[in-house]
Amino acid sequence: MARPEGPAELADALAQRAYLADRGLVTALHLAHRLGRPLLLEGDAGVGKTEAAKTMAEVLGARLVRLQCYEGIDRSQALYAWDHPRQLLHVRTLEASGERPDQHESELYTRRFLLPRPLLTALEAGDGAVLLVDEIDRADDEFEAFLLEILSDFQVSIPELGTITAARPPMVVLTSNRTRELSEALRRRCLYHWIDHPDVEREAAIVRARVPDVPDGLAQRVAGVVARLRALDLHKPPGVAETVDWARVAVDLGGHLDAEVAADTLGVVIKDRDDLATVRGVIDEVVGIEA
């Protein structure tokens, strides 16, 4: 598969896969790929950070390797582990055949019993992979420091097997919803881009790209109502995926979005009880009169 040579080609390739990125994001993705530098994407939940990595993998014809971060994640869950049940089965097989397991101990720590986790998988795939480190802000400081080591050298040392180095580094995309501040060391290692919610015109275009049977006017209207919802002081403002879902629902319910339809389907875009109460109190004002 031919890979895009410049930002313009990359923007077209992303758009062909229904991912409409603005010029700044396209440039950041292009530079991260060309320079071999990790790209840190920050922004509110639902603005398309994870989708950017997924679509980039499709464009490059690469395998997407996803490391989902969470509180308490450690290196064995991210890098590799030994397959203890298989090792135990191997020992019992040796005993059953009259062998002494202690004379075969080294066999228990070979590739046969190694379980690669996302980081090792991506290192071994090299530039045939896009490594998505999703929601790095949910991991703790210790894991972030460990990750920084991996991203600096793109290699890992396994005591029983030696050092494994990526022949060519995979493209790396880290995402953060800013639930905590990341270290300056990690930020310095990465290129950085902030993704904002799209404006009404861009969001309507995204809706049209992902819901082919939506009329232009309805796409514009749904995007406009969602923009007014985001202007409210909500705990969880709707993301782009919710906008697309709401457009699909509006098409299914007759192709319009008036105050009554909006009130009946608010759960598609509002996912918090307090937010629902807030929006229901101003639903006529937010939805307005349908043209």
Side-chain angles (χ1 to χ4, degrees):
M1 175 181 291
R3 296 184 167 185
E5 290 296 323
E9 285 187 26
L10 177 56
D12 289 343
L14 293 169
Q16 288 170 13
R17 291 160 179 81
Y19 190 88
L20 305 183
D22 62 24
R23 181 171 177 166
L25 176 56
V26 170
T27 302
L29 289 167
H30 170 72
L31 291 177
H33 180 237
R34 278 304 178 94
L35 301 178
R37 294 278 299 278
L39 174 62
L40 172 59
L41 295 178
E42 283 194 323
D44 292 341
V47 295
K49 303 183 294 296
T50 300
E51 201 63 26
K54 290 180 178 178
T55 312
M56 197 64 192
E58 290 182 24
V59 168
L60 298 177
R63 175 183 177 185
L64 178 72
V65 180
R66 181 174 184 170
L67 173 61
Q68 178 63 53
C69 296
Y70 51 88
E71 186 177 358
I73 189 173
D74 60 30
R75 56 188 302 158
S76 69
Q77 295 159 325
L79 192 55
Y80 72 90
W82 293 106
D83 190 343
H84 296 308
R86 285 195 68 194
Q87 289 173 319
L88 182 58
L89 181 62
H90 185 64
V91 168
R92 287 177 175 170
T93 300
L94 290 172
E95 290 174 338
S97 62
E99 299 274 357
R100 290 180 54 184
D102 60 315
Q103 293 181 343
H104 298 269
E105 187 175 343
S106 62
E107 297 174 11
L108 298 176
Y109 295 96
T110 60
R111 287 300 302 232
R112 178 183 174 188
F113 299 102
L114 187 72
L115 294 174
R117 302 303 193 200
L119 291 180
L120 181 57
T121 299
L123 288 179
E124 293 189 311
D127 64 353
V130 170
L131 172 62
L132 167 61
V133 183
D134 216 5
E135 299 184 330
I136 179 61
D137 51 319
R138 294 186 180 278
D140 56 29
D141 294 343
E142 184 178 349
F143 182 80
E144 187 182 315
F146 158 71
L147 185 64
L148 188 59
E149 290 180 25
I150 300 290
L151 297 183
S152 296
D153 302 326
F154 289 102
Q155 68 177 30
V156 58
S157 179
I158 301 177
E160 298 85 352
L161 300 179
T163 299
I164 296 175
T165 305
R168 296 171 65 99
M171 181 173 179
V172 181
V173 177
L174 303 94
T175 73
S176 167
N177 294 331
R178 298 195 71 183
T179 58
R180 70 171 177 84
E181 282 297 319
L182 303 177
S183 71
E184 287 303 314
L186 184 66
R187 290 180 179 279
R188 284 196 300 271
R189 185 70 189 83
C190 300
L191 303 180
Y192 177 83
H193 184 77
W194 172 268
I195 301 183
D196 234 329
H197 289 289
D199 60 25
V200 172
E201 294 300 325
R202 181 174 294 278
E203 190 148 25
I206 293 171
V207 169
R208 287 193 292 271
R210 299 190 183 182
V211 189
D213 54 347
V214 67
D216 287 352
L218 181 58
Q220 193 79 19
R221 177 163 175 74
V222 172
V225 173
V226 170
R228 290 194 285 277
L229 288 174
R230 290 183 187 134
L232 302 174
D233 187 21
L234 302 179
H235 296 296
K236 297 182 184 300
V240 174
E242 282 76 29
T243 308
V244 172
D245 287 344
W246 215 15
R248 288 197 179 101
V249 168
V251 169
D252 186 63
L253 295 181
H256 64 279
L257 184 69
D258 57 20
E260 185 177 8
V261 172
D264 289 342
T265 59
L266 268 184
V268 177
V269 283
I270 302 298
K271 311 292 179 66
D272 179 87
R273 182 181 180 182
D274 292 339
D275 288 346
L276 276 174
T278 299
V279 175
R280 288 191 192 285
V282 294
I283 189 69
D284 290 335
E285 180 183 337
V286 170
V287 177
I289 300 173
E290 190 172 14

